[in-house]
Amino acid sequence: MLPKRYKLPLGSYQPKTPKVLRYPHCMVKITENGLSYSRFGVVVGTRVYPRAVDRNHIKRSIFSSIRLENLHLIPGFDIAIIILRAVDNLGSKDGFSQVLRDLKKSL
């Protein structure tokens, strides 16, 4: 699990002009934050996954992938990942690997 320090408070997150990466199943918004570490937030709506168990599983899987790839150690970015539609293997490392590769390149 990703430590709380690296989680983006999405309730107060208002990006001014984010860089947006679009995928068929998700959208990633990247803004600079001026901190010595990056913060991540994951949004999974109830229309995408109606059950809270499924939404939390997806979030935990994505945060775990971020931690394993050490993306949170890259300084200075706020990254919001918005899941747009349900995908069977999105929670697995393989299902999210393209997004992680593109994040590494763009940061």
Side-chain angles (χ1 to χ4, degrees), residues 19 21 23 30 71 74 77 98-107:
K19 177 180 179 181
L21 303 175
Y23 299 93
I30 304 170
L71 291 177
I74 299 171
F77 293 99
Q98 179 65 35
V99 176
L100 291 177
R101 274 184 267 147
D102 290 347
L103 268 176
K104 281 184 179 179
K105 288 179 187 176
S106 64
L107 300 179

Side-chain angles (χ1 to χ4, degrees), residues 1-13 33 35 37-42 56 59-64 66-67 72 77-80:
M1 188 55 110
L2 197 64
K4 188 174 182 178
R5 171 184 182 188
Y6 302 114
K7 290 190 179 177
L8 182 63
L10 290 171
S12 62
Y13 179 65
N33 66 9
L35 299 173
Y37 53 89
S38 291
R39 299 183 298 181
F40 293 84
V42 179
N56 291 331
K59 289 179 189 179
R60 281 193 306 269
S61 300
I62 291 172
F63 282 131
S64 177
I66 290 167
R67 182 182 57 83
H72 60 286
F77 293 99
D78 284 342
I79 300 160

